[in-house]
Amino acid sequence: MSDAQPASGAAAVLVSRLDAPYAPLTGIGVLVINYNTARQTLRCLESIQQSTVLPDWVLVLDNASSAEDFEHLRQGCRPPAGGSLQIYRSDTNLGFANGSNALIDLLLRQSACQQIMLLNNDAVAQKEMLATLSAALDAAGSGAGLAGGRMHKLANPAEVDTLGISMYASLMPADRKALDDNYIGPTGGCCMFTRALAERLKAVSGYCFDPRFFCYCEDTDMVLRALLLGYRPIFIDQLMALHEGQASSGGGYNAFIAYHGLRNALWMHIKLMPQGMFLRYGLFLLLAHMLMTARHILAGRFSLIWRVYRDALRQMPEFMAERKSLRPHLQLHYSALPSFITPRFYRAGYARMVAQEYSFFRSFFFSSKK
């Protein structure tokens, strides 16, 4: 394999490579990103090596972790049972979006690589994950593009973490928690996609994941572009991985998550959402923004909301120009998008969860259970 760097210009440098004697057999490459969570990354890599079908390539990007964490990662990696394990390091944090792009570019240089697996570094792969997703994409032919399945919580394997991504009548995306919510595609935390889709996305958009998003909602943006290009992602109702969750962002609901999630959702809507969807669901979308604004102001986070809308609107001309350039490629499938929308306003149970942040509503909900 060539050690040349990604064409995207991302500063990812190969620092370690462990190879097992092999010729490419499966055409599968697995991508993992580490950011100050070497313990979780090593656990993830170990689970991949227990797969019934081994990948030909496992590429790890260390995203400007501390020197101590990176050294833990580098020293802890063991030779793979098959294929090649390569560790790259960036001196700057590229985020999940551009970090993934850098690794995707490297994999696409391998002509034998036909399927790319994204797995969160704090996930533990099930032994059949790679075999199941690969077989599903092979069976579906060229029309699927992406495949995903169940992720459950590592701390409670019976509890759903995510069943992919859903989009609701508010046009807001969220982790899919129930099978009766419509599926638009897999999350970036556990997703296999084809080389053909990656090349198509790059040809149309110039990237797989929008590097401006940094992290959060970048997977929804990619899935939505795939849908509007005519792909129909696969969901397999089978456990694929156990997920610790938010290991590198500190866990819980915090300002970093809120800022990137809300800003990026606005960018995604500006760039991709067909005009007909705004006419059909625009009032629900407006209501969603009003409720989110009220929630954060009540919580004393006015500055966060100000930064979200200021920064989103500041780059609106850039995204409007991209919208215009994308339209000829996507418009053929605009009419199919409403069939993927879950009719309810937002994910079931979310309103109760938010309301319980405030003492008045906590008392109301507690009393209502009696």
Side-chain angles (χ1 to χ4, degrees), residues 14 116 363:
L14 180 64
I116 299 169
S363 300

Side-chain angles (χ1 to χ4, degrees), residues 130-188:
L130 293 177
T132 302
L133 294 175
S134 176
L137 285 174
D138 286 341
S142 61
L146 306 93
R150 287 180 171 268
M151 290 185 80
H152 285 195
K153 294 185 180 296
L154 182 61
N156 180 13
E159 183 180 353
V160 169
D161 182 73
T162 179
L163 305 175
I165 304 169
S166 288
M167 186 171 286
Y168 297 87
S170 58
L171 298 183
M172 300 303 290
D175 278 322
R176 180 174 176 246
K177 299 289 187 179
L179 291 173
D180 57 351
D181 285 1
N182 292 338
Y183 174 76
I184 68 167
T187 69

Side-chain angles (χ1 to χ4, degrees), residues 20 40 70 101 114 120 262 277 279 284 301 329 344 368:
Q40 287 89 344
F70 172 66
N101 287 340
Q114 296 300 313
N120 274 0
L262 294 176
M277 296 292 285
L279 294 174
F284 290 122
R301 297 189 287 258
H329 302 282
R344 69 171 60 95
S368 67

Side-chain angles (χ1 to χ4, degrees), residues 10 27 66 71 77 89 93-94 117 139 168 172-173 221 224 243-244 247 284 287 290 355-356 364:
S66 68
E71 191 61 21
C77 284
R89 179 163 167 82
N93 188 345
L94 303 174
M117 180 78 206
Y168 297 87
M172 300 303 290
D221 176 82
L224 191 55
H243 188 213
E244 181 177 336
F284 290 122
L287 177 60
M290 292 172 63
Q356 289 176 330
F364 172 80

Side-chain angles (χ1 to χ4, degrees), residues 19 82 100 178 195 282 293 302 370:
D19 291 336
S100 296
R195 179 190 190 95
T293 298
F302 176 80
K370 294 182 178 179

